[in-house]
């Protein structure tokens, strides 16, 4: 293929030539330098997710510090996702045309400067800006992590490099929860921002000191690329806004949610019409609408939705019981351990022959975890969820390898120009899929909680002797604090209503776990059907034909 070079590339040996424009050359490195590349890659990957993880872990406290409403606080993680997804539209071509070094240093440099400025300029607006820029940095650091780790590992271990690097941003989330209590205890809240700025500066220094080998720089940007970006970026932002605020504002009570969703659909439609008619589109719409690609997207979204059982289900239940971040720290330590086990196991065992077994094991672990959590009560505490959440986190990391490699090979089989579409598709299924999972599970939980609250209230009439006995006991406990009997009665009834609301919330979360477990078993049945079909194809046409089908879809 003929490229229009920005500058003539060096005269590489055949084994040194980059796999594609935008990738670094494969030069020979000493063992120490290879280890340094792996260390920098893993660290940069962690930094890309750790800043946002720290904000998510401490969102309630930040909300109190800045005096925000629940709706205002929800915009902070949403701003990260909005920018992260849309940045992936430009990241791949930016690497190809501007060069890896400029791409790396500018991406991390801007993030480091704004994170540092946030230490001195506090406030809600600045927090939103930094979260948005960290979303761009997250898109940058994920690519950088892959490039750096691939420099340190031999060609035969490229799949392991991808699995290790791509999982770092996910590992950063439980790590942020583990680190947060100590950071907050030692330093006041503004120093949490200083910690994020320090990480960004360290990552920036690392990529400046240990540079990637040069790659090919080619002319790839076209004027219509910017028009596509101008249509898709606000469309994604509006969709993320609807998903992030739907439960808080409630879907049918806020007309702006409908207007935002309509505007998002219109913008996506206009972008689709534009891309479909282009000779060299930014987004390969025909490939995106192919049945095998749609099947891949459905499987990835479904898996991401099921993993939301951990972030929204279990953690939401425990926070509804009044547990704080420091009390959740041991549980997140177990989640972190499970994720590390999944990453290592996936990297060591991954091959073309283990794609389906890893997928099946991941789904099975999630279904087991969902059903283990099914009988939670208001007395459940973090240690009751150690085993189930270890399984779910291990499954989440183990699934990443097959997900990446199936999509990567499927895109590359169509040509390098399909990589942007795959990167955006992967980002949408993981980032927007996470918002979608929380939104749908939150809707189920709140709707069911209302049903259970009404059901419990109907079974507790004011004339019931046990109800009156409970109210009398509560009033007696308040007798030393409240002398007015009318106020004591009102306080005891409010306490009883709070207890009813708590028990209804627990029952609703159990319904969420039931939905996740049932969905996982259904997904497992579908995956087993696919596995049996592949074995039948292998028996008919040989292993090569079956492997081709395995890599095309789930």
């Amino acid at each position: 293929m003929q490229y229009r070079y920005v500058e003539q590339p060096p005269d590489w040996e055949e084994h040194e030539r980059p796999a594609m424009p935008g990738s670094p050359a494969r030069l020979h490195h000493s063992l120490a330098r290879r280890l340094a590349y792996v260390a920098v890659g893993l660290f940069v990957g962690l930094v890309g997710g750790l800043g946002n993880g720290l904000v998510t872990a401490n969102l309630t406290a930040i909300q109190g510090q800045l005096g925000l409403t629940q709706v205002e606080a929800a915009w902070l993680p949403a701003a990260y996702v909005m920018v992260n997804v849309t940045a992936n539209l430009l990241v791949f071509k930016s690497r190809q045309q501007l060069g890896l070094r400029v791409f790396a240093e500018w991406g991390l440099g801007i993030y480091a400067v704004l994170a540092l400025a946030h230490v001195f300029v506090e406030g809600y607006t600045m927090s939103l800006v930094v979260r948005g820029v960290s979303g761009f940095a997250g898109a940058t650091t994920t690519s950088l992590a892959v490039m750096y780790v691939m420099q340190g590992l031999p060609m035969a271990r490229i799949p392991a490099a991808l699995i290790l690097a791509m999982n770092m941003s996910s590992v950063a989330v439980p790590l942020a929860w583990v680190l947060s209590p100590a950071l907050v205890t030692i330093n006041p809240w503004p120093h949490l921002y200083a910690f994020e700025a320090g990480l960004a500066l360290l990552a920036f220094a690392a990529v400046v000191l240990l540079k990637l080998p040069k790659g090919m720089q080619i002319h790839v940007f076209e004027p219509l690329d910017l028009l596509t970006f101008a249509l898709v970026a606000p469309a994604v932002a509006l969709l993320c806004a609807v998903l992030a605020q739907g439960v808080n504002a409630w879907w049918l009570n806020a007309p702006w949610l409908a207007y935002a969703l309509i505007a998002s659909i219109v913008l996506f439609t206009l972008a689709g019409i534009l891309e479909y008619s282009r000779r060299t589109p930014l987004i390969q719409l025909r490939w995106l609408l192919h049945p095998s690609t749609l099947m891949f997207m459905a499987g990835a979204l479904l898996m991401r939705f099921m993993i939301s059982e951990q972030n929204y289900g279990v953690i939401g239940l425990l926070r509804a019981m009044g547990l704080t971040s420091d009390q959740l720290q041991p549980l997140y330590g177990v989640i972190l351990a499970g994720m590390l086990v999944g990453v290592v196991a996936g990297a060591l065992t991954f091959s073309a022959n283990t794609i389906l077994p890893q997928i099946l094991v991941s789904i099975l672990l999630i279904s087991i975890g969902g059903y283990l959590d099914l009988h939670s009560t208001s007395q459940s505490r973090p240690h009751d969820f150690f085993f189930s959440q270890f399984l779910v986190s291990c499954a989440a990391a183990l699934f990443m390898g097959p997900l990446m490699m199936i999509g990567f090979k499927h895109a590359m089989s169509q040509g390098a120009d399909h990589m942007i579409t795959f990167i955006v598709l992967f980002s949408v299924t993981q980032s927007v899929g996470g918002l979608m999972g929380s939104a749908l599970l939150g809707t189920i939980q709140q709707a069911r909680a209302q049903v259970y609250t009404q059901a419990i209230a109907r079974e507790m009439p004011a004339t019931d002797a046990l109800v009156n006995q409970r109210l009398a006991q509560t009033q007696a406990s308040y007798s030393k604090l409240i002398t007015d009997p009318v106020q004591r009665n009102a306080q005891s009834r409010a306490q009883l209503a709070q207890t009813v609301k708590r028990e209804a919330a627990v029952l609703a979360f159990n319904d969420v776990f039931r939905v996740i477990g049932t969905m996982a078993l259904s997904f497992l049945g579908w995956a087993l059907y696919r596995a049996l079909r592949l074995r039948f194809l292998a028996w008919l046409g040989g292993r090569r034909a079956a492997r081709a089908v395995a890599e095309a879809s789930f």
Side-chain angles (χ1 to χ4, degrees), residues 220-517:
V220 287
F221 276 116
E222 298 180 5
L224 286 179
D225 290 342
L226 297 179
L227 179 56
T228 299
F229 181 80
L231 291 171
V232 173
V236 170
L238 288 168
L239 178 61
C240 291
V242 172
L243 294 175
Q245 298 292 356
V247 176
N248 294 326
W250 200 246
W251 307 99
L252 302 179
N253 294 342
W256 73 265
L257 290 173
Y259 298 142
L261 185 58
I262 292 169
S264 177
I265 294 172
V266 169
L267 290 170
F268 275 127
T269 302
L270 292 174
I273 294 172
L274 173 64
E275 289 298 285
Y276 195 82
S277 61
R278 290 179 62 185
R279 187 171 60 86
T280 55
L282 180 66
I283 301 174
Q284 301 290 337
L285 201 60
R286 290 177 175 82
W287 177 73
L288 194 61
L289 296 177
H290 192 273
S292 61
T293 309
L294 292 174
M295 190 176 293
F296 167 81
M297 181 167 57
L301 274 173
L302 188 58
M303 194 69 180
R304 188 66 185 84
F305 180 84
M306 292 187 297
I307 294 170
S308 297
E309 187 265 354
Q310 187 169 80
N311 297 325
Y312 181 84
V314 170
I315 302 304
L317 170 63
L318 293 174
R319 302 204 84 160
M321 297 302 103
L323 272 70
T324 57
S325 297
D326 58 331
Q327 292 172 303
L328 294 174
Q329 187 182 32
L331 176 59
Y332 269 102
V334 172
I335 292 173
L336 177 61
M339 195 161 286
L340 291 174
V341 169
V343 171
V344 174
L348 292 178
T349 62
F350 182 84
S351 69
N353 295 323
T354 61
I355 287 179
L356 279 177
Q358 286 188 355
I359 291 174
L360 294 175
V361 169
S362 299
I363 301 171
L364 180 61
L365 292 178
I366 291 177
S367 62
I368 292 173
Y371 278 107
L372 285 175
D373 297 335
L374 184 57
H375 302 293
S376 302
T377 69
S378 57
Q379 302 302 313
S380 298
R381 291 299 178 262
H383 63 269
D384 297 313
F385 300 99
F386 281 177
F387 182 59
S388 65
Q389 295 314 296
F390 180 88
L391 296 180
V392 172
S393 58
C394 186
L398 187 63
F399 188 78
M400 187 63 72
L403 179 66
M404 277 294 301
M405 295 308 298
I406 289 173
F408 181 80
K409 290 185 177 181
H410 189 38
M412 286 301 295
S413 67
Q414 303 297 316
D417 57 345
H418 285 61
M419 280 304 298
I420 296 176
T421 308
F422 166 66
I423 291 169
V424 173
L425 175 62
F426 180 81
S427 179
V428 166
T429 58
Q430 299 308 293
S431 300
V432 179
L435 284 180
M436 188 181 300
S438 297
L440 292 177
L441 293 180
T443 301
I444 293 171
Q445 193 275 330
Q446 290 200 19
R448 296 300 296 166
Q450 290 293 327
V451 172
Y452 284 124
T453 299
Q454 295 171 7
I456 295 173
R458 283 197 300 268
E459 296 176 2
M460 296 174 58
T463 56
D464 190 284
L466 291 176
V467 174
N468 289 322
Q469 182 182 6
R470 176 68 178 267
L471 290 172
Q473 291 173 346
T474 307
Q475 289 181 39
S477 66
Y478 285 128
S479 59
K480 294 183 180 179
L481 301 174
I482 304 174
T483 57
D484 187 347
V486 176
Q487 290 187 5
R488 281 204 305 269
N489 181 57
Q491 185 66 33
S492 63
R493 289 185 180 278
Q495 182 69 30
L496 181 60
Q498 189 68 27
T499 302
V500 169
K501 185 177 179 181
R502 183 192 67 199
E503 295 301 323
V506 172
L507 292 172
F509 274 111
N510 280 330
D511 283 351
V512 168
F513 299 143
R514 185 177 291 107
V515 167
I516 295 297

Side-chain angles (χ1 to χ4, degrees), residues 30 52 61 72 113 131 178 245 252 260 376 378 449 453 459 517 553:
S30 65
N52 191 59
E72 289 173 328
V113 168
R131 294 279 59 79
V178 171
Q245 298 292 356
L252 302 179
S376 302
S378 57
T453 299
E459 296 176 2
S553 64

Side-chain angles (χ1 to χ4, degrees), residues 162-235:
L162 282 170
I163 293 171
L164 289 173
M166 292 298 298
N167 271 296
M168 283 301 102
S169 59
S170 300
V171 169
V173 175
L175 180 61
W177 282 85
V178 171
L179 295 175
S180 289
L183 290 172
V184 175
T185 301
I186 295 172
N187 295 316
W189 279 108
H191 289 185
L192 189 66
Y193 309 136
F195 181 71
E196 181 182 5
L199 290 173
L201 288 170
L202 285 173
F204 176 67
V207 299
V208 170
L209 290 175
L210 185 64
K211 296 182 184 293
L212 287 167
K214 283 195 72 170
M216 287 187 288
Q217 290 179 243
I218 62 174
H219 292 282
V220 287
F221 276 116
E222 298 180 5
L224 286 179
D225 290 342
L226 297 179
L227 179 56
T228 299
F229 181 80
L231 291 171
V232 173

